Amino acid sequence: MAPHDAAKQNAIDMANARAATTINVAAVRDFLHDGSETWQRHQRIVKILEKEPLFDKSQRLFISRTEQYILGQAKTKRLLVDLKQKHNWSEKDLAVAFAVQDDPLPITLHNVAFEPIFRLQASPELLAKYGDLTAHKAIHGAYLQTELGHGTNVGRLETTATYLPDTREFEIHSPTLTSTKWWIGALGKTATHGVVQAKLILPGGKDMGPHLFFVQLRDLNTHKVLPGLTLGDIGPKAMGAFGATDNGFARFDHVRIPKGNMLSRSAGVTDAGEYITPPHAKLSYGGMLYIRSGMTTSAGWAIGKAATIAIRYTTVRRQGELGADGLERQVLSYPSLNVRLVPMVARAYVFIELGRFLSRGFASLAQGLAAGDVSQLAEMHMMTSGLKVLVSTTAIQDIEGARRAMGGHGYSGFSGVGRLYADYLPAATYEGENYVLDGQVLRAALKSFRGLASTSSPKFSPTSSYVRLLLDKNIVPPQLTASSWNDQTVPILILEWRAALLVNEAAQTAKEPDSTLTQRVSRAVTEAFVAGQVGGMIAALPTKPGLSPKEVDVLRKVYLLYLLTVVEASLVDTLSYGLFRASPAGSADSGPRDPTRALRLAIAALCNTTLLPEIIGLTDAFGFSDWELDSALGVYDGRAYEAMWARAQTEPLNKTEVTEAFEASIKPILLHGRELAAGAAATKSKSKL
Amino acid sequence: MAPHDAAKQNAIDMANARAATTINVAAVRDFLHDGSETWQRHQRIVKILEKEPLFDKSQRLFISRTEQYILGQAKTKRLLVDLKQKHNWSEKDLAVAFAVQDDPLPITLHNVAFEPIFRLQASPELLAKYGDLTAHKAIHGAYLQTELGHGTNVGRLETTATYLPDTREFEIHSPTLTSTKWWIGALGKTATHGVVQAKLILPGGKDMGPHLFFVQLRDLNTHKVLPGLTLGDIGPKAMGAFGATDNGFARFDHVRIPKGNMLSRSAGVTDAGEYITPPHAKLSYGGMLYIRSGMTTSAGWAIGKAATIAIRYTTVRRQGELGADGLERQVLSYPSLNVRLVPMVARAYVFIELGRFLSRGFASLAQGLAAGDVSQLAEMHMMTSGLKVLVSTTAIQDIEGARRAMGGHGYSGFSGVGRLYADYLPAATYEGENYVLDGQVLRAALKSFRGLASTSSPKFSPTSSYVRLLLDKNIVPPQLTASSWNDQTVPILILEWRAALLVNEAAQTAKEPDSTLTQRVSRAVTEAFVAGQVGGMIAALPTKPGLSPKEVDVLRKVYLLYLLTVVEASLVDTLSYGLFRASPAGSADSGPRDPTRALRLAIAALCNTTLLPEIIGLTDAFGFSDWELDSALGVYDGRAYEAMWARAQTEPLNKTEVTEAFEASIKPILLHGRELAAGAAATKSKSKL
């Protein structure tokens, strides 16, 4: 009998797993992509790019950082100039193209960091001069905020912009090494212009704190650095990430710019050098919400990518015990593995939908804001901070968790997950360092709690709804039974109780907080809010176009799994406050028993029984093409072993049978060893004589 | 007034922090290095290597993988052939040299994987022929076990070794794609010989399962691959790690080797092809213990490296609120930060000493084994499995935790921690995949528990001592008060109770375990064992040469901090079983309060008050030179900003002011944008007419 061929079995296993799915994958895919039109656009653009030689991903792991940068610029040009015209792409199409090629490119910083702030803050005159040039990338911008010595604490930035009334100029200057602008995306080798955060110094040395200034950095025709400036790339990022992006540094040596280059929409200086007090700061709240909800959705897609790869690979990987088919078991069938991977899919589904749900939900609140109601502003602001921490922390954990679930092969560069991890990692730091944001969330939660507690008719918002549990003494926590975990109401309520009791703890111990409480409160109030939103998402499922009761049922269970795993991850808090009844140690003959068991069994049942047959369908519904995943282990057809073999053949070390290290190093070692061995043998034979 | 110069302040802050230390750093350093002699050796070798141009680390982030491999071989030759002779190095000296240069090199696989198994299993004849050649590196070996389709499950490997009685040869063959040997260190481009795991097939097709065979792979003079073999490198590892190591693949096409090449110390084949039943398998227990205790100690050093970098940087980084000195606070002074970093130092101290403590402790148990007492063998074996999981998981978390504690700059390649992380990561998978090992620990713990429970006079070992708590109904858990956390006895006892109650849970629910229990039990029994060992380490402190009562007191608090943070991390378990009394929700006017608060405050006090002034001394005591750390943020003199600036100037992208991407890509984009902007302007002015 010919030996069993595991490589052929790969395709059979994947086909069988795909056939087992009972949901309508196309319907769920359209749901995940926010409608069939968005999905069609995505598909159309992927199909174009995966045929473009410049967007071939197969050499990415082999090229140097300088090559990555140069290639990145070539890709940018191909998209912006050639393909946009050829295919008559809209701005939306172009944004999809930049997203799916998935290399972090410097132009992103122009689009995301430079242009919005320029458009929002520049004077009408400056906008008239540079608005169209900016919009059409006739100039490339960077946003220069962070310095070598200061990141999060913007108020202490050291760069100065001194107003000179005689010439009506500002002089931009870097007085110290630590004032060097640092980490600035697209600054190192690309940007022609920048918006610079600098302390405004008025005549007499009056320091007005940080303001924004528009500064040309490089010549548009030669790209040479302008006089007075020192610019460069800050060097490689950890784990080789973001290779194509030129995070850079800048030092200013008394660089003069015209007075009109101050971004003066909300503050200005008279010709004589007097400060013009800004009108009440405009609420650019919509913009921040948009970015943060974007981060929520993109965290979901990142988790979805890693989970798709790991679930496909562990579907075809067989190892260990023999199953009913006489073959080793598919490793995804082990409960210890699927209980790690299936909840990742749930988190991806929740985050993708949550970002959109928030944008829609907040849109109506924003209308309230526009009508002058700012009562919930601080709290909403903080809630989006908490969300940013939650989704970035979760996505980092899940990407690495997916990699590790694949065992040894997960450590291969060809798994694709290491790269995804390294590129995603800075999300924990940018847009507000996570630990700093946690502190802001705690302060806002305490303020909201105290405000609600001190009024006779409190009005609860979606972000503070949990506080109601503390104010009415008649409300008691739910009694938990095994059936508590069958629907969403109990986990949502438990998560609200946890938030309420932790905020109460923080209020009671404000004078001597323990050092873990900040993070615990931030996580608790954020997850209570998210849980409420997930309740809303479950309620909205039947209204979604294209979903039959079958899909609604499966998606409800996906969301329920999310809620249950959040409760599981919060057990320290819920047990501490008696929301689960702990049995006292030594209480019964068989010893005390685990009160969390019913919850854990419910999670295991969802992962191992209910959702496992649907899991290839649920991951297919993300709609990733093989080109997008760029993973030998996560190939759609399941033929992971053949893909690994094929990728290994492309390794540059394999170009020559014998490397130059042989003559230079290995051979001398072998010869030296032979001499030593001969000497040892001679000594031995002598001693025998 | 000249602006405050943060770069100069760096050095002042570091000097002040160093001056604040009250311990004798040299004494603690000698203690950590297991005696002054070992430390002197370490120092001597570091001082030689950091002056060797070949071992300069400054270009490591910039070179390609092929260059890394070739450089790695050159380093190997420099150490093995040149420096060993020049400095008359002993084997111990050489081992230190390989360790401190810190690039993972292929020769390690010869030393750690190939040579020990060859020496242990080869017949006397084979040893006579190749023993000296192996010892002196006149041949370079690889150990070929893992295949593309099978890792952990050795019993299902597919490679065959068919015995041919006519010629008295074995035929090594790879029957399928998945039988391709894969991940084999030093195989891709280096090894000349290998020990191959293959299924022994006897005449008649009788499959005897995996056995070991010695096979030449490459010509010693030309390094060409021998006929019938297909060898190559499997490609890059995740996040660019292990670049100098050529993990490789091998396919065998009916490759014949003489019968004598079977590693036949414990099993053989007669000329006629009959299996020679091995004598009772030799206990190679000492070797495995040696490797596992080595992993414990090296996990400690890895954590120590990351913690040293992060603690030095956060000592000089100032950010946020103004302190008493009128400057922003040193970020390490924030409790939310030091509560994360100080416990890492504690874990490093515990693991470094624990590995040595175990080697010594097990040495006496090994004597018992030699005298035929195998009663504790399975249990001890499993405990070392649990330890491997514990230390590798912990080190991975701490290295990444240290990186993240440094905020934005931690993501720079020059922080050095990203590289440390990527290189350490596979420890979770090699020497037994962590999740698989957890299952083995659970089974052994259950067996031990049932054995002890069923005998009338149970004998408890250090690894099962916690079971006593279940067998005597008169023992009850300790009542916890705020002062419980001042000495080590309470946390040790709590961790033993946790292990006992979880093993009991596992025994009671063996028929329907929840999917998280395996990991929880494995962690609990391992940590109970480690806690007991830490108790012994504390007791042994006063006997250590060179430590005054001052150092003994500080080290005791370091160990105590370790124990308290382990209890904190196990709160889900201890709360579940009522070891902490949870107050019922809604029980008091101010609401129920957190029963874990006293523990958390005790940890915060140790981190923020007791140990913080000693922390630079405690990290200096690791003895890392700047060359060893290779981190701009962790420089000894504290001048992190100057070091970051200097390193950035070496980035290859900075070699030219204008990169070739300008003419090729950026300029066309700018020109295209200018046309579009001009078009837009024309349209606007038309519409105005």
Side-chain angles (χ1 to χ4, degrees), chain B residues 560-628:
Chain B
L560 176 63
L561 176 60
Y562 173 83
L563 292 169
L564 297 190
T565 53
V566 173
V567 173
E568 187 189 26
S570 70
L571 279 172
V572 168
D573 299 330
T574 48
L575 284 160
S576 287
Y577 293 105
L579 294 169
F580 284 71
R581 298 288 176 283
S583 45
S587 62
D589 260 3
S590 67
R593 300 299 297 281
D594 184 356
T596 71
R597 178 169 158 81
L599 169 66
R600 296 181 195 271
L601 288 177
I603 290 171
L606 278 173
C607 294
N608 195 45
T609 309
T610 314
L611 294 175
L612 197 59
E614 310 293 345
I615 203 71
I616 286 295
L618 288 168
T619 50
D620 281 352
F622 291 122
F624 295 116
S625 71
D626 283 348
W627 173 79
E628 282 173 277

Side-chain angles (χ1 to χ4, degrees), chain A residues 6 65 69-70 73-74 85 132 136 138 140 148-151 153 156 177-178 183 189 220-221 223-225 232-239 241-242 251 317 319-320 328 339-340 396 400 403-404 408-409 411-414 421-422 425-426 429 435 473 477 501 504-505 509 512 514-516 520 568 572 575-577 582-583 585 590 592-595 597 600 641-642 645 651 653-654 656-657 659-660 662 665-667 669-670 672-674 676 684, chain B residues 6 65 69-70 73-74 85 132 136 138 140 148-153 156 177-178 182-183 189 221 223-225 232-239 241-242 251 317 319-320 328 339-340 396 400 403-404 408-409 411-414 421-422 425-426 429 435 477 501 504-505 509 512 514-516 520 568 572 575-577 582-583 585 589-590 592-595 597 600 641-642 645 651 653-654 656-657 659-660 662 665-667 670 672-674 676 684:
Chain A
R65 224 207 116 201
Y69 171 74
I70 290 165
Q73 293 296 341
Q85 290 186 86
D132 282 345
H136 295 290
H140 278 195
L148 185 51
H150 286 90
N153 190 12
R156 306 286 298 185
L177 172 65
T178 44
W183 277 111
K189 292 285 147 184
L220 283 168
N221 294 312
H223 218 223
K224 285 205 176 275
V225 177
D233 186 281
I234 63 161
K237 270 71 75 178
M239 306 167 207
F242 273 76
R251 293 187 54 75
R317 174 79 168 178
Q319 200 86 177
E328 291 170 279
V339 81
R340 288 185 274 153
I396 290 169
E400 169 60 11
R403 197 195 61 71
R404 224 174 285 178
H409 288 336
Y411 193 58
S412 167
F414 301 136
Y421 177 82
L425 207 46
T429 314
Y435 283 90
K473 298 286 166 205
L501 295 167
N504 181 54
E505 179 83 30
T509 61
E512 194 198 9
D514 83 62
S515 48
T516 66
R520 291 160 71 208
E568 187 189 24
V572 169
L575 283 159
S576 288
Y577 293 104
S583 45
S590 66
R593 299 300 296 283
D594 184 357
R597 179 171 158 81
R600 296 182 195 272
Y641 295 131
E642 287 155 307
W645 172 264
E651 159 62 43
L653 268 175
N654 293 333
T656 55
E657 183 178 340
T659 72
E660 60 184 86
F662 179 63
S665 307
I666 298 174
K667 198 169 179 183
I669 299 172
L670 298 178
H672 180 69
R674 216 179 293 177
L676 293 177
K684 269 182 217 162
Chain B
R65 222 206 117 202
Y69 170 74
I70 289 165
Q73 294 296 341
Q85 290 184 90
D132 282 345
H136 295 290
H140 278 195
L148 185 52
H150 285 92
T152 303
N153 190 12
R156 306 286 297 186
L177 172 64
T178 45
W182 206 265
W183 276 109
K189 291 284 146 183
N221 295 312
H223 219 223
K224 286 206 174 273
V225 176
D233 185 282
I234 62 161
K237 270 71 74 179
M239 306 169 207
F242 272 77
R251 293 189 53 77
R317 175 78 167 178
Q319 201 85 176
E328 290 171 280
V339 81
R340 288 185 274 153
I396 290 168
E400 169 60 10
R403 197 194 62 72
R404 225 174 284 179
H409 288 337
Y411 193 58
S412 167
F414 300 137
Y421 177 82
L425 208 45
T429 315
Y435 283 90
L501 294 167
N504 181 54
E505 179 85 31
T509 60
E512 194 198 10
D514 83 62
S515 48
T516 66
R520 290 160 72 206
E568 187 189 26
V572 168
L575 284 160
S576 287
Y577 293 105
S583 45
D589 260 3
S590 67
R593 300 299 297 281
D594 184 356
R597 178 169 158 81
R600 296 181 195 271
Y641 294 131
E642 286 156 308
W645 172 264
E651 159 64 43
L653 267 176
N654 292 333
T656 54
E657 183 178 339
T659 73
E660 61 184 85
F662 179 63
S665 306
I666 298 174
K667 198 169 177 181
L670 298 177
H672 179 70
R674 218 180 292 177
L676 293 177
K684 270 183 215 163

Side-chain angles (χ1 to χ4, degrees), chain A residues 618-631:
Chain A
L618 288 169
T619 50
D620 281 353
F622 291 122
F624 295 116
S625 71
D626 282 348
W627 173 78
E628 283 173 277
L629 291 179
D630 189 27
S631 166

Side-chain angles (χ1 to χ4, degrees), chain B residues 395-456:
Chain B
I396 290 168
Q397 271 172 4
D398 279 349
I399 295 169
E400 169 60 10
R403 197 194 62 72
R404 225 174 284 179
M406 296 189 284
H409 288 337
Y411 193 58
S412 167
F414 300 137
S415 82
V417 183
R419 182 191 165 83
L420 191 60
Y421 177 82
D423 280 348
Y424 189 83
L425 208 45
T429 315
Y430 62 59
E431 292 288 323
E433 206 276 329
N434 281 359
Y435 283 90
V436 175
L437 291 181
D438 281 336
Q440 298 177 0
V441 173
L442 171 67
R443 282 190 291 279
L446 281 175
K447 197 177 158 195
S448 160
F449 166 58
R450 288 180 180 132
L452 289 166
S454 66
T455 173
S456 55

Side-chain angles (χ1 to χ4, degrees), chain A residues 208 267 337 387 405 436 521 524 575 596 608:
Chain A
M208 306 305 295
L337 194 72
L387 257 182
V436 175
V521 171
L575 283 159
T596 70
N608 194 47

Side-chain angles (χ1 to χ4, degrees), chain A residues 50 65 73 145 198 271 273 280 295 374 395 470 538 548 655:
Chain A
E50 62 189 10
R65 224 207 116 201
Q73 293 296 341
Q145 177 174 304
D271 283 358
H280 188 66
M295 280 189 79
V374 294
L470 290 174
I538 292 175
S548 79
K655 276 182 194 157

Side-chain angles (χ1 to χ4, degrees), chain B residues 255-268:
Chain B
V255 172
R256 294 203 177 182
I257 56 169
K259 174 167 171 287
N261 277 20
M262 181 172 179
L263 267 55
S264 56
R265 187 75 75 92
S266 54

